Amino acid sequence: MIPESFIQELLARTDIVEIIDRVVPLKKAGANYAACCPFHKEKSPSFTVSPSKQFYHCFGCGAHGTAIGFLMEHQGLSFPDAIEDLARHCGLTVPQEDNERAFRKPAAGSEEGPSLLDVMLKAHKYYRDELKQSPRAIDYLKRRGLTGEIAARFGIGYAPEGWQNLRPLFPEYDSPAFQTLLKAGLVIENDQKRRYDRFRDRVMFPILDQKGQVIAFGGRILDQGEPKYLNSPETPLFEKGREVFGLPQAREACRQTDTVIVVEGYMDVVALAQHGIGNAVATLGTATTTTHIRKLLRMVDRVVFCFDGDAAGRKAAWRALENSLEALAEQKALAFAFLPPEHDPDSYVRDLGKEAFQAAIDRATPLSEFLLQTLTSHVDLTSAEGRAKLLAEAKPLLQKIPTPMLRLQIVKQLADKTGLQPSEVERGCELSRQAAHPNNTPVRAPRHAPSILRRLLRVLVQAPELASTIKPSLTNALPTNDPLANSLNRLLPHLATNPQPSELLERLRGSEDAPLLAEIFASLLSEPLEKDALSAELAGIVAQMERDQLDTELAVLQQAAQRGSLSAPEKARYAELLQTLQQLGRTGRRR
C-alpha cells in the first residue's frame, strides 16, 4: 500500500478546484464552486466543490470524494494511478515500498521481482497460448458458437490440467520470499506451505480495468463440476464490488445505444457480443452493488438487468434492485428483462437470434413496476393486514430512493393499491416531502433537528483531534443496535491520526460507513460549522450524552424501586443520581 503519510501530504498540496476545473469549468458560488455534474446529465448545477474542505459532492446523483476519488471516477484511473497523476502535478515522487510493486514496474536494473500487473499479464499470455494448444478447449468454445475473432477480442485463454503449470513461467514459484503470485491470486498455498495453481482445466476470461490492464481472471469449467465459475480473490488490483467483466469491450456500444445490459455470466457477455449485441457486461461472482450501478449510470442513461426467469434469477434481480435504489438519478432508468426459465442470455440469443433478444431488452420491466409486482405478489390486498404489510415492506425501499419524482410516482401507485391518500402513504413511510404554501408556493417541510450522535459525528469529522477528549466510557455505553453508534465506534480509531475530512472519506471509500460520511460532508458544505465553535459544540453534545446516560440509569433504578428490589448500594446510587440531575436542572427523565 502507498504510505498514508504520503497520501496526507499529497492531498494537503493538491488544490481540488484546480484539478476539477481542468476538465469541468467551475464557477464561484459563495464560499464554494459549482458546475453541472460531470457524472450525470442535468440542466442546473448541483455539483459543488469546496476549496476549504477539498471535497466535491453532487446533490443530484450523490457523487462525492476528494481529488483522488475524482480522478478515479471521472478519468477511470485506479487508486495508484490517481496517486501518480496527482504526484506528478505536485512535483512529488511516490515512495518506493515493497507493497507498491503491486502497481508499478521496477526500475531498469532493479533486483525487485515483477509487479502484480507484470505477473497478471504474463499469466494472461500463457493462458492464451495454451488455448491454441488445446483442441478440447477450442472445441468447447466452438460448441458454444464462438469464433476465433470474438475469443481474441475478449482475450480468452485456457488453464490446462495439472497442479503447477505456472511453475516453469515463474522460477521463484516455490520461494517463500516470492509472494507476488499469492498476492495476485494465481496460486494457493496449503497448510504445508505447498503451492499450486488456483485455475486448472478452465476456460480463462481476463478481467480488465479501465485502462485495459489485466487485474483478475474468471475461469469457467469445461465439463460438469462445481464451482462452474471460479474467480480471482480480491487483491490489491481487484475489488469485486467495483469491477464488471467486459466493460472495456462494451464501452463504445454502450455509448451508441445509451444502454448497458447486465447479465450474470462471462459466457453470456461473450455470446451476446458474438451475435452483435456488444453492450453487455457481467458482475464478478457477486451481487450487483451500488458502486456497479453508479459506475454504469455515469456512462449511460439506461441499465437493463437480464436474468433467468426462474426463482434464482428473480432473487438475483431483487438483490440488484435493492442495491440500485440509492444510485438512482433523475433522467436515468433501470429495468429488468426476464427470460423463459429454460434459457439464459447465451442460449436465448443462440436459439432465437439477436432481434428476439433485443426485443426482450426493449420491453424490459421498469424498476418501479418490478418493485410493486414483487411486493404485492405475496400480500393479501383484500385485507387491512395485507395492505399494512405492503406499506411496511415498501417503507425501507422508498426511503432509499433519492429521486423525488420517481418516489412520488411509486407512492401514488401504493396509495391506489392500499386505498390511502398519497400524503398518508408518505406520512406512514416517514418520507420527507415538500409541503404546499397557501399561495401555492412550494416550501420545504420543517426539518427535524439532527440526532445527538449525528451532531457528534459532524463535529468529529471536521475536528478529529477532539475525539481524544471523549471518555471511552461514554462511547462504550452507546446502544449496539444503533447504526450511528456502530459507525461512531468504527470511525474513532481512524480519527486518532487526525486526518483531514476529505482524507477520512477517501480512506473509507467503499466501506459501510462511506454513505453516512458522504451525507455528513454534504451537510458541512451547505451548513458549515465554524472552527471556533466546534469545542463548545462538542462540550454541549458530551454533556447531553452524559445526562442521557444518567437518565437511562435512573429509569432502571426507578423500576427496581417500584418493585421494592433495590439493594443498599442501589439506593445510595439512586439518591446520588436524583441529586446530580437536580443540580443539572433535571428532576427525572427528559421528556
Side-chain angles (χ1 to χ4, degrees):
M1 298 293 289
I2 298 173
E4 286 288 339
S5 58
F6 178 78
I7 296 174
Q8 292 180 28
E9 180 184 0
L10 184 61
L11 287 173
R13 293 197 186 192
T14 298
D15 180 3
I16 192 172
V17 174
E18 181 183 352
I19 296 299
I20 294 180
D21 193 53
R22 290 188 296 179
V23 291
V24 181
L26 299 173
K27 292 184 178 180
K28 198 78 168 71
N32 300 320
Y33 289 81
C36 286
C37 180
F39 300 116
H40 79 286
K41 294 179 181 178
E42 60 179 3
K43 295 181 179 179
S44 57
S46 62
F47 182 79
T48 303
V49 183
S50 170
S52 61
K53 298 177 178 62
Q54 291 294 299
F55 174 79
Y56 72 88
H57 181 84
C58 176
F59 291 91
C61 69
H64 60 268
T66 63
I68 298 172
F70 182 82
L71 291 177
M72 291 174 65
E73 297 296 334
H74 189 266
Q75 309 292 346
L77 300 180
S78 64
F79 179 77
D81 287 335
I83 295 289
E84 288 277 10
D85 189 285
L86 286 180
R88 284 194 299 270
H89 182 77
C90 297
L92 299 176
T93 301
V94 181
Q96 298 286 335
E97 289 193 354
D98 290 343
N99 286 341
E100 289 188 70
R101 291 189 291 106
F103 310 98
R104 182 179 294 103
K105 292 183 178 181
S110 169
E111 295 183 358
E112 296 180 0
S115 69
L116 287 185
L117 286 173
D118 290 334
V119 164
M120 298 301 283
L121 180 59
K122 195 170 185 179
H124 177 225
K125 291 179 178 177
Y126 168 75
Y127 294 140
R128 291 191 67 178
D129 289 341
E130 285 299 311
L131 175 62
K132 300 173 185 176
Q133 309 299 321
S134 173
R136 179 165 159 267
I138 292 173
D139 180 65
Y140 170 82
L141 294 176
K142 286 182 176 179
R143 283 188 281 110
R144 300 298 297 264
L146 302 186
T147 63
E149 180 183 355
I150 285 294
R153 177 181 171 188
F154 285 88
I156 298 174
Y158 171 66
E161 297 178 284
W163 291 92
Q164 292 185 328
N165 289 303
L166 293 178
R167 189 174 185 181
L169 212 62
F170 301 99
E172 315 93 330
Y173 186 97
D174 293 311
S175 171
F178 185 60
Q179 298 290 310
T180 311
L181 287 175
L182 288 170
K183 291 179 181 178
L186 291 171
V187 303
I188 298 173
E189 191 171 73
N190 62 20
D191 294 339
Q192 289 74 42
K193 301 300 181 182
R194 179 174 172 80
R195 296 179 181 179
Y196 57 93
D197 296 353
R198 179 181 298 274
F199 299 102
R200 304 179 303 278
D201 193 26
R202 289 179 179 270
V203 172
M204 299 294 287
F205 299 88
I207 299 162
L208 311 180
D209 64 11
Q210 298 276 9
K211 298 174 69 176
Q213 301 174 121
V214 180
I215 57 173
F217 290 99
R220 208 282 187 196
I221 197 166
L222 270 69
D223 301 315
Q224 299 298 316
E226 294 293 337
K228 182 164 70 172
Y229 283 103
L230 179 65
N231 299 301
S232 290
E234 296 209 347
T235 72
L237 294 177
F238 174 55
E239 185 180 342
K240 292 179 183 179
R242 297 185 63 87
E243 306 294 340
V244 292
F245 172 74
L247 186 58
Q249 295 90 344
R251 186 175 286 112
E252 185 57 35
C254 289
R255 287 173 179 157
Q256 291 176 0
T257 61
D258 203 19
T259 299
V260 61
I261 304 168
V262 181
V263 296
E264 293 186 273
Y266 304 128
M267 279 302 303
D268 293 327
V269 173
V270 177
L272 290 173
Q274 179 69 64
H275 288 79
I277 301 171
N279 56 327
V281 299
T283 52
L284 304 168
T286 184
T288 306
T289 66
T290 305
T291 302
H292 287 145
I293 301 305
R294 286 189 174 130
K295 174 182 283 191
L296 297 175
L297 286 179
R298 288 169 188 162
M299 185 172 63
V300 298
D301 283 347
R302 184 171 186 250
V303 174
V304 179
F305 298 95
C306 183
F307 295 125
D308 303 352
D310 57 12
R314 288 192 170 266
K315 184 177 180 181
W318 184 251
R319 287 199 304 270
L321 179 144
E322 290 179 310
N323 291 333
S324 297
L325 294 177
E326 293 180 3
L328 294 175
E330 298 289 1
Q331 300 180 343
K332 302 284 185 176
L334 273 70
F336 297 81
F338 295 103
L339 303 179
E342 67 272 15
H343 279 297
D344 57 23
D346 177 13
S347 64
Y348 192 91
V349 75
R350 280 192 286 123
D351 290 355
L352 301 176
K354 173 183 177 180
E355 290 73 18
F357 182 85
Q358 190 60 56
I361 297 300
D362 293 340
R363 61 173 182 267
T365 303
L367 177 143
S368 59
E369 187 177 330
F370 176 50
L371 185 151
L372 290 167
Q373 285 177 354
T374 304
L375 290 180
T376 56
S377 65
H378 57 274
V379 299
D380 178 13
L381 292 178
T382 64
S383 69
E385 290 82 359
R387 293 190 293 272
K389 181 180 180 182
L390 171 62
L391 291 177
E393 293 186 358
K395 177 180 175 179
L397 302 174
L398 290 174
Q399 290 178 340
K400 287 183 178 182
I401 299 176
T403 50
M405 296 309 296
L406 175 62
R407 189 171 65 187
L408 178 59
Q409 294 293 325
I410 298 175
V411 164
K412 286 183 175 180
Q413 293 183 63
L414 282 170
D416 289 340
K417 293 180 182 298
T418 55
L420 299 174
Q421 293 296 318
S423 59
E424 293 173 319
V425 173
E426 288 184 321
R427 191 161 54 249
C429 293
E430 300 179 9
L431 303 178
S432 62
R433 65 186 185 92
Q434 292 203 334
H437 194 271
N439 63 5
N440 293 326
T441 303
V443 295
R444 290 196 178 277
R447 293 180 58 187
H448 296 290
S451 69
I452 193 75
L453 285 181
R454 192 172 294 274
R455 288 170 56 202
L456 178 59
L457 282 165
R458 286 189 65 189
V459 170
L460 295 182
V461 164
Q462 190 163 353
E465 66 276 6
L466 297 178
S468 60
T469 66
I470 300 176
K471 299 176 183 177
S473 59
L474 198 62
T475 56
N476 291 338
L478 293 174
T480 56
N481 61 345
D482 186 334
L484 284 176
N486 293 332
S487 291
L488 175 63
N489 284 318
R490 284 192 296 266
L491 287 175
L492 285 174
H494 294 282
L495 297 173
T497 58
N498 296 339
Q500 292 296 315
S502 55
E503 178 202 340
L504 179 64
L505 181 68
E506 202 63 59
R507 186 185 300 174
L508 296 174
R509 173 182 288 271
S511 71
E512 58 185 304
D513 298 309
L516 173 63
L517 278 177
E519 180 185 337
I520 291 173
F521 268 89
S523 68
L524 291 176
L525 285 174
S526 58
E527 302 174 28
L529 299 173
E530 295 297 332
K531 205 73 174 176
D532 296 340
L534 289 172
S535 294
E537 171 80 354
L538 179 62
I541 291 171
V542 169
Q544 179 74 57
M545 293 176 68
E546 290 174 339
R547 286 195 294 269
D548 288 346
Q549 281 191 4
L550 294 177
D551 278 348
T552 301
E553 186 180 358
L554 180 64
V556 173
L557 292 175
Q558 282 177 333
Q559 292 177 357
Q562 291 171 357
R563 296 192 302 268
S565 58
L566 281 179
S567 64
E570 287 174 335
K571 290 180 180 178
R573 178 59 178 164
Y574 186 28
E576 180 186 356
L577 284 175
L578 287 173
Q579 182 180 4
T580 300
L581 289 172
Q582 286 172 351
Q583 292 173 351
L584 293 172
R586 310 277 294 284
T587 57
R589 297 196 69 188
R590 282 191 306 116
R591 298 185 183 276

